[in-house]
Amino acid sequence: MDRFRIEGPNRLAGTVRASGAKNAALPALAASLLTDEPLELVGLPRVRDIMTMRKLLDHLGVDSEQEGDSLRLVATDRASTDDAPYELVKTMRASILVLGPLVARLGHARVSLPGGCAIGVRPIDQHLACLEALGAEVELEHGYVTARAERLVGASFRFSTPTVTGTENMLMAAVLAHGTTVLENCAREPEVVDLARLLTGMGAKIDGAGNESIVIEGVESLAGTRHTVIPDRIEGGTYLIGAAITGGDILLEGADAADLAPLLEKLAENGCEIEELAAGIQLRRQGELKPRDTVTAPHPGFPTDLQAQYMALMTQAEGGSTICETIFENRFQHVSELTRMGADIQVEGSYARIHGPSRLSSASVMATDLRASACLVLAGLVAHGETQVDRIYHLDRGYERMELKLQSLGARVERLE
Ligand code: EPZ
């Protein structure tokens, strides 16, 4: 099992490029099920979740071939199955994104329920309620959801809570439905907007993506297209926080400052100097690191996927701060590991109270989920001595060769097999 060995403290300086967004790439891959024409996706990140989704799509009959920086996908009828099996789905919850496209195009689907994960129960009730509103018959049996519909029919549906993959799944269901669909209380994340851009490029008629309500005019069929996924704002934000926590100075190339606004505003309040350049985002932090309270919220609020990384930063701030996690019920697993490194953090329900600055000492720590592992790597960069972060496979799900990118910024980090 791979682990990182990090020598600290040292500062990050130099230029790093954001990879394509994992959470835009996953729905884009699922969209290949919506057409029998070739779909070309450019700039997909080389991370494990993408390989997992390609394996699932292959099982469903989608051939995919990497041609340089572009992945070419063609859905065929070679597979005699509409079934997304548990052994594939259990390794990645985002597999649920094949449900909407399968029902939209084939009229039936059988997808294993994703089950919970380290950060929470993460139900999919809204995906299923919306699919029923579009006329599908949905049943839950033996840990699988089966859905069938002669043809989905446009309808109005209001999500009880903004759900990113729920909005994406239902966008892909509605684009081939008969008639008009109005989705309310939608997720507004940039990855939802990117999927709508891809579907529109395939011939879908979508209005309002990025707002709370989206109107979709169903069409008879969709064509192939060539689409470049947006840069990964969470990966990029992680490196920006790395520069802030180490008192460094980096240029994050290829990042979209508008998508990172919630983080950039916060880091500016913390005392970072930020410049939005044509080439990307320049961030340096030389002076005092000021504490600031944060509450996670659906976009355009502060992203829950940067909460753990930001908490590592707050352990170095001059004073007290609180972080309130409003999206997931169990996303403070990194606290115990940070505390072992010497951080001063108390958790009360959905609040974490951090008192800084703490002199973090190196330790052997263990990652529990994708973003918690990123948090521990950032802590290792400022801790005194050699920190080992175990179970790096969590990181590999969503960060493309993180050790190489950190080394290019001057970090003393190595991957141990
Ligand atoms: C997406 O997960 C992301 N994953 C997550 O990123 C991210 O943390 C999350 O959105 C929130 O931004 C992908 O895009 C592949 P949700 P998703 O449905 O869609 C509740 C990472 O680190 N809910 O927006 O599963 C749910 O319990 C991952 O890359 C329901 O109650 O999250 C949660 O409290 C981790 N019923 C809230 O909504 C539903 O049917 C938001 O969840 C669906 C969701």
Side-chain angles (χ1 to χ4, degrees):
M1 205 176 285
D2 285 7
R3 60 187 193 282
F4 274 0
R5 180 162 65 193
I6 305 163
E7 196 60 44
N10 66 351
R11 64 191 286 273
L12 298 187
T15 299
V16 66
R17 169 165 286 277
S19 298
K22 162 179 87 82
N23 290 351
L26 292 169
L29 286 163
S32 63
L33 291 164
L34 288 168
T35 175
D36 55 9
E37 295 186 11
L39 176 62
E40 296 201 8
L41 298 177
V42 181
L44 299 181
R46 290 172 180 76
V47 296
R48 217 146 52 82
D49 275 6
I50 301 306
M51 299 316 294
T52 304
M53 183 59 97
R54 283 183 64 183
K55 219 183 287 175
L56 173 58
L57 289 173
D58 176 62
H59 176 82
L60 294 167
V62 178
D63 293 336
S64 61
E65 197 181 341
Q66 191 73 36
E67 294 162 356
D69 196 22
S70 156
L71 182 71
R72 189 172 187 277
L73 300 113
V74 183
T76 72
D77 52 10
R78 67 176 162 76
S80 56
T81 173
D82 66 347
D83 176 324
Y86 177 64
E87 49 278 1
L88 278 175
V89 173
K90 72 180 176 191
T91 61
M92 186 184 64
R93 315 174 27 73
S95 308
I96 195 65
L97 283 166
V98 303
L99 178 65
L102 283 172
V103 181
R105 190 149 167 273
L106 302 183
H108 48 83
R110 184 172 178 274
V111 178
S112 164
L113 286 167
C117 76
I119 63 179
V121 172
R122 300 181 73 181
I124 56 164
D125 58 295
Q126 296 301 299
H127 301 235
L128 306 184
C130 185
L131 213 45
E132 284 181 323
L134 294 173
E137 254 176 70
V138 175
E139 273 165 46
L140 296 179
E141 51 188 4
H142 314 305
Y144 277 78
V145 55
T146 54
R148 58 184 64 257
E150 265 309 294
R151 182 179 181 189
L152 294 173
V153 179
S156 290
F157 181 79
R158 179 177 182 77
F159 291 104
S160 64
T161 177
T163 154
V164 175
T165 50
T167 303
E168 292 164 347
N169 220 346
M170 293 306 112
L171 265 182
M172 292 191 280
V175 289
L176 290 176
H178 178 70
T180 306
T181 297
V182 180
L183 300 178
E184 305 275 11
N185 198 22
C186 296
R188 300 170 56 193
E189 272 68 5
E191 293 74 28
V192 173
V193 178
D194 198 39
L195 174 65
R197 197 161 56 86
L198 161 60
L199 295 171
T200 304
M202 295 169 74
K205 293 190 173 61
I206 300 171
D207 197 23
N211 302 313
E212 289 196 359
S213 73
I214 304 176
V215 181
I216 304 105
E217 204 62 53
V219 294
E220 290 308 306
S221 65
L222 292 177
T225 189
R226 182 180 168 82
H227 176 79
T228 300
V229 293
I230 54 173
D232 195 318
R233 61 194 169 98
I234 304 301
E235 183 213 16
T238 303
Y239 291 109
L240 290 173
I241 294 174
I245 199 171
T246 59
D249 180 356
I250 73 164
L251 171 64
L252 175 65
E253 276 186 333
D256 181 335
D259 290 348
L260 273 162
L263 175 69
L264 297 178
E265 278 156 34
K266 196 58 76 177
L267 292 177
E269 290 169 16
N270 297 129
C272 297
E273 294 157 52
I274 299 166
E275 273 185 87
E276 296 175 18
L277 308 167
I281 300 166
Q282 184 83 34
L283 184 144
R284 64 179 70 88
R285 198 269 295 178
Q286 279 137 348
E288 178 189 337
L289 191 58
K290 304 185 187 80
R292 280 294 181 279
D293 296 349
T294 298
V295 181
T296 63
H299 195 76
F302 190 91
T304 174
D305 290 349
L306 286 172
Q307 179 258 106
Q309 300 90 314
Y310 189 76
M311 187 182 290
L313 180 67
M314 286 300 97
T315 69
Q316 302 307 299
E318 305 277 340
S321 60
T322 61
I323 294 181
C324 180
E325 171 57 61
T326 68
I327 307 291
F328 291 112
E329 65 271 25
N330 190 26
R331 202 169 199 176
F332 282 151
Q333 309 223 13
H334 42 286
V335 170
S336 53
E337 297 299 275
L338 283 174
T339 307
R340 287 183 57 241
M341 295 176 76
D344 177 357
I345 307 171
Q346 273 77 38
V347 170
E348 292 146 35
S350 61
Y351 277 88
R353 295 182 192 289
I354 303 108
H355 197 81
S358 302
R359 179 189 159 88
L360 297 183
S361 62
S362 57
S364 285
V365 289
M366 189 171 69
T368 50
D369 68 82
L370 169 55
R371 306 304 173 182
S373 40
C375 154
L376 296 175
V377 171
L378 295 181
L381 291 173
V382 291
H384 291 251
E386 179 187 291
T387 294
Q388 303 235 358
V389 182
D390 221 340
R391 302 195 174 183
I392 280 305
Y393 62 84
H394 288 294
L395 259 187
D396 292 337
R397 294 192 53 174
Y399 287 92
E400 191 172 332
R401 300 306 307 199
M402 189 180 214
E403 74 276 17
L404 300 183
K405 292 195 178 186
L406 287 172
Q407 286 162 8
S408 74
L409 291 171
R412 294 194 298 276
V413 57
E414 58 179 330
R415 177 186 289 259
L416 304 174
E417 306 298 326

